Amino acid sequence: MHERREFSIRESNIALIGFMGAGKSSVGRLVAKKLYRDFIDIDEEIVKKFGMPITEIFQKLGEEQFRKMERELITHYCTNTRLKILSLGGGAYLQEEVRNVCLTHCIVFFLDLSWDSWKDRLPLIIDSRPILQNKSLPEIEELFFKRREVYSINHSQFVTSNLDPETVAEQMVESLKTAWDTYQPHKD
Ligand code: S3P
């Protein structure tokens, strides 16, 4: 059981989850603009904290340090801020603590896409994603489907396969507005 939200869902942060290269940051930036909210890219925050790119953090400090900082930052934004659009790195949500804090304090949107449409993006992202390096395509495919099971724990999901970020962002904003109109806060 998750704790009861103490404020209206209109004020909740929105967390975007999904596999690397699914478009979380591009969509998140657009949604933030449409809703006049701040956009927080957790990966960018981690890079600022350590003062080096992610590949270097993995090489010099190791994945464990990266995950610890990722967990701390997500917990901070989820529990101390409102009205933000948060984009989480693809591995963050695998941590149980991250899942719990997001599901309790945010509206969690999963950006889903088919394996076929994702694999075309691999050459564009592999150099900046240490998790994909030194893996064969079948190994990456296995990771893709394994993680998908975890991402399926969410509040709402969008299939983005052949859609441009603008269309996905528009759909997301529409669905949020419907939810906000449906779940009015209690007036007592
Ligand atoms: C990771 C995803 C990356 C970044 C890091 C680890 C992962 O973020 O956090 O390279 O484990 O899936 P994106 O999902 O934005 O690529």
Side-chain angles (χ1 to χ4, degrees):
M1 267 293 268
H2 300 291
E3 305 158 27
R4 192 173 172 276
R5 282 175 214 275
E6 282 161 12
F7 47 90
S8 130
I9 62 158
R10 270 174 199 271
E11 293 173 48
S12 293
N13 290 331
I14 291 157
L16 302 186
I17 62 163
F19 208 58
M20 290 160 267
K24 296 166 298 223
S25 300
S26 321
V27 171
R29 242 179 223 107
L30 289 166
V31 171
K33 213 168 161 195
K34 288 175 194 294
L35 295 175
Y36 303 97
R37 290 187 177 199
D38 292 332
F39 172 69
I40 310 288
D41 187 313
I42 298 296
D43 280 345
E44 277 176 18
E45 298 299 306
I46 299 171
V47 166
K48 274 192 238 159
K49 284 272 180 196
F50 285 119
M52 54 182 119
I54 290 178
T55 33
E56 218 173 304
I57 302 171
F58 269 67
Q59 273 164 13
K60 293 195 172 147
L61 308 172
E63 182 173 350
E64 213 174 300
Q65 285 300 310
F66 175 87
R67 296 297 175 202
K68 184 167 176 278
M69 181 60 80
E70 184 175 53
R71 192 167 61 241
E72 285 172 5
L73 284 166
I74 294 170
T75 304
H76 163 75
Y77 280 108
C78 287
T79 54
N80 296 315
T81 68
R82 292 179 192 181
L83 295 162
K84 305 265 185 267
I85 311 293
L86 310 174
S87 169
L88 272 56
Y93 203 67
L94 304 178
Q95 303 190 59
E96 195 182 356
E97 211 178 310
V98 168
R99 275 201 305 279
N100 288 339
V101 83
C102 287
L103 289 164
T104 305
H105 296 278
C106 306
I107 301 172
V108 179
F109 280 103
F110 166 33
L111 297 193
D112 192 14
L113 75 175
S114 69
W115 166 251
D116 278 339
S117 53
W118 183 83
K119 73 177 175 355
D120 296 339
R121 303 182 187 187
L122 180 58
L124 303 173
I125 65 170
I126 192 159
D127 289 344
S128 55
R129 306 308 198 277
I131 295 290
L132 299 174
Q133 288 154 17
N134 306 314
K135 281 196 177 65
S136 65
L137 196 61
E139 282 169 339
I140 296 176
E141 184 175 5
E142 197 187 329
L143 186 72
F144 180 91
F145 285 104
K146 235 178 166 169
R147 285 185 168 192
R148 208 169 185 214
E149 286 174 26
V150 183
Y151 302 143
S152 72
I153 310 165
N154 59 57
H155 294 124
S156 190
Q157 59 192 63
F158 286 86
V159 177
T160 67
S161 296
N162 300 311
L163 302 176
D164 60 292
E166 178 61 39
T167 310
V168 180
E170 202 51 59
Q171 286 180 357
M172 201 175 281
V173 168
E174 281 312 307
S175 96
L176 277 166
K177 286 185 176 162
T178 307
W180 290 337
D181 288 345
T182 310
Y183 302 103
Q184 298 283 354
H186 293 293
K187 295 216 169 61
D188 53 5

Short mmCIF file of all heavy atoms in Angstrom, two decimals, residues 17 21-22 33 41 53 61 65 75 82 84-86 89 96 120 127-128 147 188:
data_model
loop_
_atom_site.label_atom_id
_atom_site.label_comp_id
_atom_site.label_asym_id
_atom_site.label_seq_id
_atom_site.Cartn_x
_atom_site.Cartn_y
_atom_site.Cartn_z
N ILE A 17 8.88 7.27 -17.34
CA ILE A 17 9.77 6.12 -17.28
C ILE A 17 9.76 5.40 -18.62
O ILE A 17 8.86 5.61 -19.44
CB ILE A 17 9.36 5.13 -16.14
CG1 ILE A 17 7.95 4.56 -16.38
CG2 ILE A 17 9.43 5.81 -14.78
CD1 ILE A 17 7.65 3.31 -15.57
N GLY A 21 16.40 5.81 -24.71
CA GLY A 21 16.08 6.19 -26.08
C GLY A 21 14.60 6.14 -26.43
O GLY A 21 14.24 6.25 -27.60
N ALA A 22 13.74 6.01 -25.43
CA ALA A 22 12.30 5.96 -25.71
C ALA A 22 11.71 7.35 -25.95
O ALA A 22 10.57 7.48 -26.34
CB ALA A 22 11.56 5.27 -24.56
N LYS A 33 6.60 22.39 -21.15
CA LYS A 33 6.33 23.65 -21.84
C LYS A 33 4.82 23.88 -21.98
O LYS A 33 4.32 24.96 -21.70
CB LYS A 33 6.99 23.59 -23.22
CG LYS A 33 7.48 24.92 -23.70
CD LYS A 33 8.36 24.74 -24.91
CE LYS A 33 8.47 26.06 -25.64
NZ LYS A 33 8.99 25.89 -26.98
N ASP A 41 15.54 16.72 -15.76
CA ASP A 41 16.10 15.50 -16.32
C ASP A 41 17.05 14.92 -15.27
O ASP A 41 18.10 15.53 -14.99
CB ASP A 41 16.85 15.84 -17.62
CG ASP A 41 17.30 14.60 -18.35
OD1 ASP A 41 17.86 13.70 -17.70
OD2 ASP A 41 17.09 14.52 -19.57
N PRO A 53 30.48 13.34 -17.45
CA PRO A 53 29.43 12.63 -18.20
C PRO A 53 29.16 11.23 -17.62
O PRO A 53 30.02 10.67 -16.92
CB PRO A 53 29.96 12.53 -19.63
CG PRO A 53 31.33 13.09 -19.63
CD PRO A 53 31.67 13.60 -18.27
N LEU A 61 33.66 5.81 -11.12
CA LEU A 61 33.07 5.61 -9.79
C LEU A 61 32.26 4.32 -9.69
O LEU A 61 31.98 3.86 -8.59
CB LEU A 61 32.17 6.81 -9.44
CG LEU A 61 32.81 8.20 -9.57
CD1 LEU A 61 31.78 9.29 -9.38
CD2 LEU A 61 33.93 8.36 -8.54
N GLN A 65 27.61 3.82 -7.43
CA GLN A 65 27.60 5.24 -7.05
C GLN A 65 26.57 6.01 -7.87
O GLN A 65 25.87 6.89 -7.38
CB GLN A 65 28.98 5.87 -7.28
CG GLN A 65 30.01 5.49 -6.27
CD GLN A 65 29.61 5.90 -4.86
OE1 GLN A 65 29.25 7.03 -4.62
NE2 GLN A 65 29.65 4.93 -3.96
N THR A 75 14.32 10.72 -5.05
CA THR A 75 13.61 10.81 -3.77
C THR A 75 13.45 12.28 -3.37
O THR A 75 12.38 12.71 -2.94
CB THR A 75 14.38 10.04 -2.67
OG1 THR A 75 14.54 8.70 -3.13
CG2 THR A 75 13.65 10.04 -1.35
N ARG A 82 6.74 19.92 -6.14
CA ARG A 82 5.47 19.64 -6.81
C ARG A 82 5.51 20.26 -8.19
O ARG A 82 6.36 21.10 -8.47
CB ARG A 82 4.31 20.29 -6.05
CG ARG A 82 4.08 19.66 -4.72
CD ARG A 82 2.94 20.33 -4.01
NE ARG A 82 2.94 19.88 -2.64
CZ ARG A 82 2.06 20.25 -1.74
NH1 ARG A 82 1.11 21.09 -2.06
NH2 ARG A 82 2.14 19.78 -0.51
N LYS A 84 6.34 19.38 -11.06
CA LYS A 84 7.51 19.19 -11.94
C LYS A 84 7.24 18.05 -12.92
O LYS A 84 6.46 17.14 -12.64
CB LYS A 84 8.76 18.81 -11.12
CG LYS A 84 9.09 19.78 -10.02
CD LYS A 84 10.11 20.78 -10.49
CE LYS A 84 10.57 21.71 -9.39
NZ LYS A 84 9.82 22.95 -9.32
N ILE A 85 7.93 18.11 -14.04
CA ILE A 85 7.95 16.97 -14.96
C ILE A 85 9.34 16.35 -14.82
O ILE A 85 10.35 17.01 -15.08
CB ILE A 85 7.75 17.41 -16.44
CG1 ILE A 85 6.55 18.35 -16.60
CG2 ILE A 85 7.65 16.19 -17.34
CD1 ILE A 85 5.20 17.78 -16.36
N LEU A 86 9.38 15.10 -14.38
CA LEU A 86 10.66 14.42 -14.14
C LEU A 86 10.89 13.35 -15.20
O LEU A 86 10.01 12.53 -15.45
CB LEU A 86 10.66 13.73 -12.77
CG LEU A 86 10.23 14.53 -11.53
CD1 LEU A 86 10.15 13.62 -10.31
CD2 LEU A 86 11.23 15.66 -11.27
N GLY A 89 16.15 8.18 -15.83
CA GLY A 89 16.99 7.29 -16.65
C GLY A 89 16.35 5.90 -16.66
O GLY A 89 15.66 5.51 -15.71
N GLU A 96 13.61 -0.66 -6.23
CA GLU A 96 12.30 -0.71 -5.56
C GLU A 96 11.97 0.61 -4.86
O GLU A 96 10.84 1.11 -4.92
CB GLU A 96 12.28 -1.86 -4.57
CG GLU A 96 10.88 -2.19 -4.13
CD GLU A 96 10.83 -3.30 -3.10
OE1 GLU A 96 11.89 -3.88 -2.77
OE2 GLU A 96 9.71 -3.58 -2.62
N ASP A 120 16.16 0.27 -34.13
CA ASP A 120 16.70 1.20 -35.13
C ASP A 120 17.40 2.38 -34.47
O ASP A 120 18.21 3.06 -35.09
CB ASP A 120 15.57 1.75 -36.02
CG ASP A 120 14.93 0.66 -36.84
OD1 ASP A 120 15.58 -0.40 -37.03
OD2 ASP A 120 13.77 0.85 -37.29
N ASP A 127 26.79 4.98 -27.81
CA ASP A 127 28.04 5.57 -27.30
C ASP A 127 27.87 6.25 -25.95
O ASP A 127 28.81 6.33 -25.16
CB ASP A 127 28.61 6.58 -28.30
CG ASP A 127 29.16 5.89 -29.52
OD1 ASP A 127 29.37 4.66 -29.44
OD2 ASP A 127 29.35 6.56 -30.55
N SER A 128 26.68 6.77 -25.69
CA SER A 128 26.47 7.49 -24.42
C SER A 128 25.74 6.64 -23.38
O SER A 128 25.35 7.15 -22.32
CB SER A 128 25.68 8.77 -24.69
OG SER A 128 24.48 8.46 -25.35
N ARG A 147 12.97 -5.44 -18.59
CA ARG A 147 12.67 -4.14 -18.00
C ARG A 147 11.23 -3.72 -18.26
O ARG A 147 10.61 -3.06 -17.43
CB ARG A 147 13.62 -3.08 -18.54
CG ARG A 147 15.00 -3.20 -17.94
CD ARG A 147 15.85 -2.08 -18.40
NE ARG A 147 17.08 -1.99 -17.64
CZ ARG A 147 17.90 -0.95 -17.70
NH1 ARG A 147 17.62 0.06 -18.48
NH2 ARG A 147 18.99 -0.93 -16.97
N ASP A 188 -14.50 19.50 1.19
CA ASP A 188 -14.87 19.61 2.61
C ASP A 188 -13.66 19.85 3.50
O ASP A 188 -12.53 19.86 3.05
CB ASP A 188 -15.60 18.34 3.08
CG ASP A 188 -14.81 17.08 2.77
OD1 ASP A 188 -13.65 17.21 2.28
OD2 ASP A 188 -15.33 15.99 2.96
#
